[in-house]
Amino acid sequence: MKLREALKQASFGLANQGIDAPTLEAELLLRYLLRLDRAQLLVNYELELDLEHISALNHLVERRTQGEPTSYIVGSREFYGLEFYVDNRALIPRPETEGLVEKALELAGGYSRQESLRLADIGTGSGAIAIALARNLPSAQVWAGDVSLLALEVAWLNCLRHGVQEQVHLCLGDLLSSIPRELDIILANLPYVEDSQWSELPPEVRLFEPAIALRGGLDGLELIRRFLAQVGEWLNPGGSFLVELGLGQANE
């Protein structure tokens, strides 16, 4: 079977199971299987795949149709133009969270002392936010905290991947408890899913991603309230903090 036909077959199988963007997801699975980037995939449509490749692709499609996120299957997710390693020890970075990074970089641009900027990322997970900040602010120091040691193991792998292990300081602890004070900018992407919404989440989120990174208590704001009660003590005068919230939670 040629690569073109295998892609079409995989896409059809994903679509039949209600997977969104089935062609894109089929491409990602094939690229992972064959170790090709997108350009290489496009120029190799006539490549003949052997039975071993076809069997392996079918297995990947089956895993996806059973709900496992593609990012976990291929072990990779892009965030803010950077490629991150991901597995089920940490939440998959979301595109909407890039807004936190953009705003933080905008705020950082207003400081004259760029060489001594101090930032923190609370609930760092895979380290995506902290590492994106470090790569874009090479003179700044960034602390990345999480209550999950498993998540910090993933963050460390990503620090090594992007060469920021001397700039990003991983801290194990609850909220700001293990983070030094006198910070200029603090970002927090904390769990904000309400208990009543948990059962409504897509199975690929509810069954595969870590609940500790998603569940925010009765109204989803349990950890965020605790964070807000602490954050002022950790900020320098004139400092800023940024928090990602769920839809409809801003007024509360």
Side-chain angles (χ1 to χ4, degrees), residues 64-136:
R64 182 66 188 97
T65 57
Q66 290 178 350
E68 188 173 356
T70 298
S71 294
Y72 286 162
I73 295 173
V74 304
S76 181
R77 179 66 171 236
E78 183 180 329
F79 178 83
Y80 212 74
L82 302 169
E83 204 70 32
F84 289 89
Y85 171 76
V86 291
D87 64 29
N88 61 8
R89 290 175 289 179
L91 197 70
I92 298 170
R94 267 59 171 181
E96 56 268 25
T97 304
E98 293 181 354
L100 283 179
V101 177
E102 290 174 359
K103 186 62 178 178
L105 292 177
E106 179 186 323
L107 291 168
Y111 283 85
S112 56
R113 48 180 185 81
Q114 294 287 315
E115 72 286 348
S116 61
L117 273 178
R118 293 162 58 89
L119 301 92
D121 169 31
I122 309 304
T124 195
S126 66
I129 291 174
I131 292 167
L133 291 170
R135 288 290 301 270
N136 284 276

Side-chain angles (χ1 to χ4, degrees), residues 24-72:
L24 174 60
E25 296 227 7
E27 282 188 7
L28 290 171
L29 295 177
L30 257 175
R31 284 171 52 190
Y32 166 71
L33 177 64
L34 301 175
R35 299 292 188 265
L36 301 174
D37 61 29
R38 190 161 194 274
Q40 291 171 326
L41 184 76
L42 294 175
V43 300
N44 280 284
Y45 270 170
E46 301 307 312
L47 179 69
E48 195 71 36
L49 302 185
D50 57 29
L51 291 178
E52 185 177 343
H53 281 132
I54 298 301
S55 177
L57 178 60
N58 289 339
H59 177 63
L60 295 179
V61 169
E62 182 180 1
R63 287 171 63 184
R64 182 66 188 97
T65 57
Q66 290 178 350
E68 188 173 356
T70 298
S71 294
Y72 286 162

